[in-house]
Amino acid sequence: MAGLNTSLGYFIAVVVVGAFARLVLVRQRPQWTWLAESIAAFLLVACRLEVQTISEIGQWAGGLGPDVTLTMLFLAITVQGAIMQGVTGNPSVTLMGFLQKETGVVSTVLSLAGQFAGAQLGLLVAGWYWRMELTDMHMIKNLMSAECTTSLRVPSLQGTFTEAASALAFHLSALSLHRRSQLLQTPLLALLLTFLYYVGSNYTSAYVNPALAYALTFTCSGHTFSEYALVYWLGPLAGMTLALFLYRGNIPLFFTRNLLFSKKARFRSPKGKTLEEKRSS
């Protein structure tokens, strides 16, 4: 249990730092969306790296089974969503806002840069934490950090399809729930992401987040950078674009005409009987 207690302490420390940064820095400068996205990505990556450690090593170094991994993952995603309301740390979500003409080019580019910078910071903080070797699990992780295990366990095309399908399911759900309260939306999406990770763990781990995948698996050997980019960047982008098209019937940045739903068909008023039909009846 020492390993689990240490991991919980790490999670709490990361959450406190993220919440403090969100409160002090972002609320003082609400227009700095890129900074909020950077903090959200940092919080998500720093916690997911520890979840990955529990998943890879915890079972035989700390007695922590898959149930602990899934529980910690669900809690990490839920807490991150509760603290970082309005931002996600996910480049796919940012690009969706751009495709819907909700954000401009400069704001989008700054948010994307902030997300990847936050992911890199989370990777550095997790590495510093592992080097402290507070438990046997973290000592082994520190020794293995130079040769991490890739999350991409299938060919690139299959991995791209897996990430695209996972992104499609996630973004369709997020679009369907976006008018619901955060109290309902956050745990439901966290539960969906946990389920996608469980189903896709033998394929790509279904990160559905290019910045998260960059931090968790791009540094691992076994595949080239272009293969990782195809799977973890192009896959989620394709799934997100398809989800937006299926939900709205168009992509507002490119065209405004609804190609899937006809307003006449959806809102057709019932036809009344003609005068001749009334007389005959």
Side-chain angles (χ1 to χ4, degrees), residues 107-125:
S107 176
T108 300
V109 171
L110 287 176
S111 293
L112 293 175
Q115 287 161 349
F116 281 97
Q120 183 64 37
L121 179 61
L123 185 60
L124 294 175
V125 169

Side-chain angles (χ1 to χ4, degrees), residues 167-240:
L168 175 63
F170 170 73
H171 288 292
L172 270 179
S173 300
L175 287 168
S176 301
L177 293 170
H178 78 284
R179 295 185 184 277
R180 303 288 184 176
S181 67
Q182 287 291 329
L183 189 62
L184 177 65
Q185 184 181 149
T186 299
L188 285 180
L189 292 179
L191 184 62
L192 175 61
L193 287 173
T194 304
F195 173 75
L196 291 175
Y197 166 79
Y198 174 75
V199 173
S201 58
N202 291 325
Y203 300 92
T204 64
S205 292
Y207 292 129
V208 197
N209 184 329
L212 179 65
Y214 163 77
L216 266 64
T217 200
F218 271 48
T219 57
C220 301
S221 59
H223 298 276
T224 63
F225 182 87
S226 59
E227 289 175 329
Y228 280 131
L230 175 66
V231 173
Y232 291 107
W233 289 357
L234 183 60
L237 179 60
M240 176 273 293

Side-chain angles (χ1 to χ4, degrees), residues 17-27 36 39 83-87:
V17 170
F20 179 78
R22 168 79 168 169
L23 179 64
V24 174
L25 298 178
V26 178
R27 288 193 176 180
I39 297 171
I83 294 176
M84 299 295 167
Q85 294 186 18
V87 292

